[in-house]
Amino acid sequence: MNMVAPEAGSDRPDLPPAYRLVALDSVDSTNEHAKALAEEGAEDGTLIWALEQTSGRGRMGRDWSSPPGNLYCSLVLRPDCDLATAAELGFVAALGVGDALGQLVPPMTELHFKWPNDVLLEGRKVCGILLEASASSEGALDYVILGVGLNIASRPPSDQVRAEPISLYEVGCGPDVTPVSVLSSFSRHFLVWVNRWLDDGFAPVRSAWLNRAKGVGEEISVTCGTGGETLQGVFSDLDPHGALVLDVPGRGFVTVTAGEVYFPAQAE
Ligand code: BTN
């Protein structure tokens, strides 16, 4: 007879003392909830985590499907920097996710970053990051909400527009890999990278991200902004704040600060 082992671990994540957890069964969007708390003065390190979201949102005004079984969390951050510099936190978070997944997924699983802030396993999207910032009219940053959605038990169906999704279970993670274990690991690795960023700036983050980025030196397409012009060229670099530098034939180097990257379809 098959015995089913009880799920390992507790139902609360093990977080570094830098974070204060607000755990919810269900919420419209952890980013929205974090924003409301930040407006009321929630301190840096307030971490909202929900088992499901009823109106999860992604970049470019898209929905983020959020059934139970996956990770949905948002951190309130109050770094002492300007808006452009705060955008670097998306890359810091991607590195935290990458290091956490490196310890959770089977060895040899391919892990890459996709500009600006996606994390891919086996070339498919496992994690999306949504940064939302609030600044005064003079441009001084008040807070940043860093939202992380990570497919563990399930993933949305592919829609031909976004990067093909994948879940941790699909790459062979077992039932011990849960939202609690992933959040515990992410929070530790993110803290290491955010401290590195605070101490040494974007340079080490940029080079670690570029080391595992998909498509650098290769031909890609980029739709600029939300549904703007689509450019084709070689993904040449990240600029000092994380904008994508594209070498476009006939135009030279074009710097893209927001948009969606598409990789050419691989030959079968
Ligand atoms: C993307 O489009 O790739 C970003 C997706 C971000 C989804 C997460 S889930 C937790 C947090 N709350 C939200 O409503 N969105 C982010």
Side-chain angles (χ1 to χ4, degrees):
M1 190 173 93
N2 284 333
M3 296 290 287
V4 179
E7 261 187 22
S10 99
D11 60 355
R12 303 282 289 187
D14 181 17
L15 302 177
Y19 301 120
R20 276 154 309 285
L21 182 68
V22 177
L24 304 166
D25 287 336
S26 181
V27 72
D28 50 358
S29 151
T30 56
N31 262 42
E32 201 52 40
H33 197 81
K35 232 185 210 180
L37 294 184
E39 291 291 339
E40 289 166 11
E43 20 171 11
D44 177 87
T46 303
L47 174 64
I48 319 305
W49 167 54
L51 298 180
E52 66 168 3
Q53 299 183 117
T54 53
S55 299
R57 57 174 185 255
R59 292 173 60 242
M60 314 278 183
R62 294 173 179 149
D63 294 336
W64 186 262
S65 154
S66 307
N70 298 332
L71 176 64
Y72 315 108
C73 67
S74 301
L75 250 179
V76 178
L77 297 169
R78 296 185 185 274
D80 184 12
C81 65
D82 59 23
L83 258 181
T85 307
E88 298 167 6
L89 280 164
F91 298 88
V92 176
L95 292 176
V97 169
D99 284 356
L101 293 185
Q103 296 187 336
L104 295 169
V105 300
M108 311 305 289
T109 307
E110 256 184 43
L111 188 150
H112 289 105
F113 300 125
K114 175 175 180 251
W115 188 87
N117 300 143
D118 293 347
V119 183
L120 309 178
L121 291 179
E122 305 296 351
R124 292 160 60 187
K125 178 164 170 171
V126 72
C127 175
I129 291 165
L130 179 64
L131 268 186
E132 296 179 302
S134 170
S136 70
S137 47
E138 294 81 45
L141 185 73
D142 184 8
Y143 61 81
V144 179
I145 307 298
L146 175 82
V148 177
L150 200 150
N151 304 330
I152 300 173
S154 67
R155 56 158 172 94
S158 50
D159 62 7
Q160 315 296 318
V161 179
R162 292 181 248 202
E164 186 81 11
I166 196 168
S167 69
L168 292 188
Y169 285 7
E170 283 177 288
V171 297
C173 290
D176 55 321
V177 176
T178 63
V180 168
S181 66
V182 176
L183 180 54
S184 302
S185 183
F186 166 66
S187 62
R188 285 195 304 277
H189 289 288
F190 176 71
L191 190 59
V192 169
W193 275 109
V194 89
N195 284 335
R196 184 85 198 275
W197 176 73
L198 289 168
D199 290 345
D200 301 328
F202 189 52
V205 171
R206 177 179 168 278
S207 84
W209 188 92
L210 279 169
N211 268 336
R212 298 181 97 170
K214 186 169 161 74
V216 180
E218 295 169 14
E219 192 84 35
I220 60 169
S221 303
V222 186
T223 302
C224 304
T226 310
E229 137 183 73
T230 296
L231 297 173
Q232 286 195 338
V234 173
F235 181 179
S236 300
D237 208 351
L238 279 190
D239 87 350
H241 277 312
L244 184 149
V245 182
L246 194 68
D247 188 2
V248 181
R251 274 177 71 171
F253 293 107
V254 176
T255 300
V256 183
T257 53
E260 192 72 36
V261 164
Y262 300 91
F263 302 111
Q266 299 282 310
E268 293 293 310

